[in-house]
Structure formats: C-alpha cells, structure tokens
C-alpha cells in the first residue's frame, strides 16, 4: 500500500503486516519477523495485517500447533510489529511529500 500511496492513489489507509513464529511450544518465546529457516523450524507461525486508520485486521493467518496463550502472545507481538511498520511507512511518505513540495 505504500507504493500505491506514493503513486498518489486515494486510499482509506495503509496496510501494514508483520509475521511471528513460536519456536517451540513450551518456551514462551516469540520471534518477530522470522527468517525462512526460523519459520520452517517453528512449531507455529502467523502473519497479521492491519489497517490502523480503519481498525481493520484484513489478514490473520496462523498455522502449526501451539497453545492458545502462545498464539495470543505471538499475535500481540505481530500487531505491535505491524504498528511499527505502519508508522515507518507513514513517516517515509510524509518525508517524501515534503521533499517533493520543496
């Protein structure tokens, strides 16, 4: 969506996503933005995409085995990561707009 916004297309909001992986069920650890090898080795993984301007969650995909609490923790981390990605996209677009108008 950042490319669409950069092209000056009218959008309702920016879509930002982040992945998370649970390396092993009992560890309580969550890997944010895992590498391909970390994802393959994980007992469970998920991806969450958000549109904060609309309070929408257009994508939530989880696969693998894990306790509910572990998946909920991974989701919280992924949503936090997506919020960070969203803010960085927004900052970059605003900075680009200021440069273009200068």
């Amino acid at each position: 969506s950042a490319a669409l916004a950069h092209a000056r297309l009218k959008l309702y909001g920016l879509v930002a996503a982040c992945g998370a992986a649970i390396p092993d069920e009992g560890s309580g650890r969550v890997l944010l933005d895992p590498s391909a090898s970390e994802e393959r080795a994980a007992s469970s993984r998920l991806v969450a995409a958000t549109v904060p301007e609309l309070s929408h969650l257009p994508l939530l995909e989880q696969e693998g085995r894990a306790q509910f609490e572990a998946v909920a923790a991974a989701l919280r981390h992924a949503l936090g990561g997506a919020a960070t990605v969203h803010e960085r996209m927004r900052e970059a677009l605003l900075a680009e707009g200021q440069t273009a108008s200068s």
Side-chain angles (χ1 to χ4, degrees):
S1 64
L4 296 174
H6 178 75
R8 307 271 193 250
L9 295 175
K10 184 175 180 173
L11 303 173
Y12 291 108
L14 295 172
V15 178
C18 188
I22 302 167
D24 46 60
E25 231 178 303
S27 73
R29 292 183 340 134
V30 173
L31 302 175
L32 199 56
D33 192 24
S35 67
S37 62
E38 289 170 330
E39 278 193 14
R40 282 191 299 275
S43 64
S44 181
R45 59 204 138 281
L46 65 83
V47 175
T50 65
V51 183
E53 297 87 350
L54 302 176
S55 298
H56 282 192
L57 184 70
L59 173 71
L60 175 57
E61 183 177 286
Q62 186 268 332
E63 63 181 37
R65 294 180 54 101
Q67 295 291 322
F68 175 81
E69 294 79 15
V71 174
L75 177 58
R76 281 191 301 275
H77 286 289
L79 290 174
T84 299
V85 169
H86 179 270
E87 186 58 29
R88 297 300 177 267
M89 288 191 315
R90 185 178 163 283
E91 289 169 356
L93 288 165
L94 288 172
E96 191 277 332
Q98 289 174 353
T99 303
S101 63
S102 298

